[in-house]
Amino acid sequence: MNRLQERAFLNRLEELRGPVPARPHDARAIAALAANPGCARRSVMDAAGIDKDRTARHVGFPAPFGQSQFAITRGNGFEALVKENGCAELLRVLRELLGLPIPQVGYRDVESVGSHLRHSHTRALIDHAAREEEGTAVFYDHPLFSLEIAGHTSYLEPDVVAFQVGGRFHIVEIKSFALVDGQAEPEKVAAAARQAAVYVLALRTLLADLGHDPERVSHDVVLICPENFANRPAGALVDVRKQLAVLTRQLTRMTRVEHLLSGLPEGLTFDLAPGEDGTPTRSAEELAEALRRVPARYAPDCLATCDMCMFCRDEARGCGSTELLGRQVRDQLGGVSRVSEALGLAEGTLEPAEGQEEIAELLRLANRLREESLR
């Protein structure tokens, strides 16, 4: 992509977003996007930096999840505790967790150089650390990584700390949910692992780009949480190799954003047209119609990860899409895209189209077995 094409690409993204600042990608968004790489709607909205939560609320379909202000405040307070005094509490946890003799560490706050220099400064610091002799340990607070998502460079602004000790880099993920007797809620740990895998991949990509061995980034992520509902930080190692493999595979399957944009109608925009007080003035019906012009790929898993999930579910219900049944069922049904079509093939009231003969036979067999079991 030359400079002229890049400028046109960025202008198109701005047109889609409207005259508001772009929302940056975070690890949670990238993990969710990678979990559903075939969803053009999410790919386009994320690339344009559109506030999906606000968009979903405006069209009348707010997401069924989200953090309360209390949880956000508690999380920020716990993170500050872990990082205060040059990450003294983090150093204590790492000594206990890794069993390594770490007498002292350096501390570098990458955010101190200003947002416009953070990425280049992060590259320089990581490059320097990778060239240091084994045994040097440094905490890097607020590093800024980059990762290419569907041909579009996304900048990650993690609250995590990356450090190098014993010749390896680790990612530290700080969460405010509790570790009770060394255990945490599996769903929350799994979500943290998916997010941390994004950071591991980004740091490995950075090391490879700098000419270093990417495997120097450990696949064991250090998860820091409050211990037994107190505010005392405790740690656990989380192996993210599985999440890394899934993330890498899914990112390679994603269609490049510029290809998605080329298929959109001219003048299409998701601009909320906010007034002077920031309240959207665009009609919800008009915005919903614009959203429907970009194909989605709904799956029940979206209910836990995507702000647009309720809107897309309603859309899938309206057309009787087999996507409502989940990815596995949808994929097994092959070219059968409607529930009514699947029922017609199963009951024999609908003749299979070319290429549907095998799935029609299986559906009829399943229907016969069901009827026999109900007798």
Side-chain angles (χ1 to χ4, degrees):
M1 186 184 297
N2 58 40
R3 287 190 176 183
L4 187 61
Q5 291 172 323
E6 184 178 2
R7 185 66 259 173
F9 173 72
L10 294 176
N11 287 341
R12 186 66 181 101
L13 293 180
E14 290 174 6
E15 182 183 4
L16 284 167
R17 183 177 63 251
V20 293
R23 290 181 64 87
H25 274 84
D26 58 20
R28 180 180 299 176
I30 292 175
L33 182 59
N36 193 5
C39 185
R41 182 177 295 162
R42 170 143 197 167
S43 294
V44 169
M45 295 183 77
D46 279 353
I50 293 169
D51 188 337
K52 296 189 297 299
D53 176 62
R54 196 175 187 198
T55 300
R57 291 180 183 278
H58 187 57
V59 295
F61 292 93
F65 56 83
Q67 278 190 309
S68 67
Q69 189 58 47
F70 172 78
I72 293 173
T73 302
R74 184 174 185 273
N76 291 339
F78 179 70
E79 182 180 329
L81 172 66
V82 173
K83 293 182 177 182
E84 69 181 6
N85 299 321
C87 294
E89 279 293 303
L90 178 58
L91 177 58
R92 173 189 62 79
V93 173
L94 292 176
R95 283 172 176 160
E96 297 172 358
L97 187 63
L98 300 178
L100 295 175
I102 313 174
Q104 60 182 3
V105 298
Y107 174 80
R108 301 295 296 269
D109 187 353
V110 185
E111 198 173 39
S112 63
V113 301
S115 58
H116 62 295
L117 295 175
R118 282 176 62 197
H119 183 246
S120 59
H121 193 46
T122 297
R123 286 177 60 91
L125 290 174
I126 296 298
D127 186 33
H128 177 74
R131 299 178 190 279
E132 285 287 299
E133 294 182 4
E134 186 173 325
T136 301
V138 183
F139 291 130
Y140 299 104
D141 197 357
H142 301 109
L144 184 64
F145 303 138
S146 65
L147 195 63
E148 186 173 295
I149 308 295
H152 177 63
T153 300
S154 298
Y155 291 93
L156 305 173
E157 302 182 21
D159 291 328
V160 302
V161 178
F163 72 98
Q164 187 259 4
V165 63
R168 303 205 75 188
F169 289 86
H170 290 71
I171 293 294
V172 178
E173 186 78 351
I174 302 172
K175 295 294 182 182
S176 60
F177 57 81
L179 281 174
V180 181
D181 295 330
Q183 301 291 323
E185 293 184 36
E187 296 82 4
K188 293 182 178 180
V189 174
R194 288 192 295 270
Q195 294 173 42
V198 176
Y199 296 128
V200 171
L201 179 60
L203 185 50
R204 285 185 173 182
T205 302
L206 173 58
L207 278 181
D209 189 44
L210 292 170
H212 304 294
D213 181 7
E215 293 301 316
R216 289 184 64 182
V217 182
S218 175
H219 55 72
D220 286 325
V221 169
V222 180
L223 179 63
I224 305 293
C225 300
E227 185 177 27
N228 298 329
F229 300 104
N231 242 14
R232 186 174 188 270
L237 290 177
V238 180
D239 188 339
V240 298
R241 277 178 290 188
K242 179 181 177 181
Q243 290 81 3
L244 268 173
V246 172
L247 176 66
T248 304
R249 182 175 68 252
Q250 297 291 63
L251 289 180
T252 60
R253 294 174 55 195
M254 292 179 64
T255 305
R256 294 180 66 88
V257 174
E258 57 264 35
H259 295 162
L260 295 175
L261 294 182
S262 65
L264 299 182
E266 192 71 27
L268 180 71
T269 179
F270 304 136
D271 183 10
L272 298 179
E276 293 183 1
D277 61 351
T279 303
T281 62
R282 188 178 186 183
S283 73
E285 294 76 13
E286 183 183 335
L287 179 59
E289 183 57 34
L291 289 168
R292 294 188 185 100
R293 303 295 293 274
V294 184
R297 196 177 190 190
Y298 173 78
D301 295 349
C302 298
L303 292 172
T305 59
C306 183
D307 294 300
M308 296 298 300
C309 60
M310 301 302 286
F311 177 83
C312 297
R313 185 178 72 168
D314 182 75
E315 182 182 43
R317 281 177 171 174
C319 63
S321 173
T322 55
E323 292 177 341
L324 290 164
L325 306 176
R327 293 192 182 97
Q328 185 175 1
V329 174
R330 178 195 63 199
D331 294 343
Q332 288 177 343
L333 288 174
V336 181
S337 60
R338 298 286 182 268
V339 173
S340 58
E341 185 181 5
L343 291 174
L345 292 172
E347 295 166 354
T349 59
L350 183 67
E351 287 297 317
E354 185 178 353
Q356 291 183 336
E357 295 84 2
E358 184 177 353
I359 188 62
E361 184 177 346
L362 291 173
L363 286 170
R364 287 169 185 167
L365 173 61
N367 189 51
R368 285 198 302 272
L369 293 174
R370 176 181 176 276
E371 290 178 346
E372 290 174 2
S373 67
L374 294 175
R375 289 174 185 170

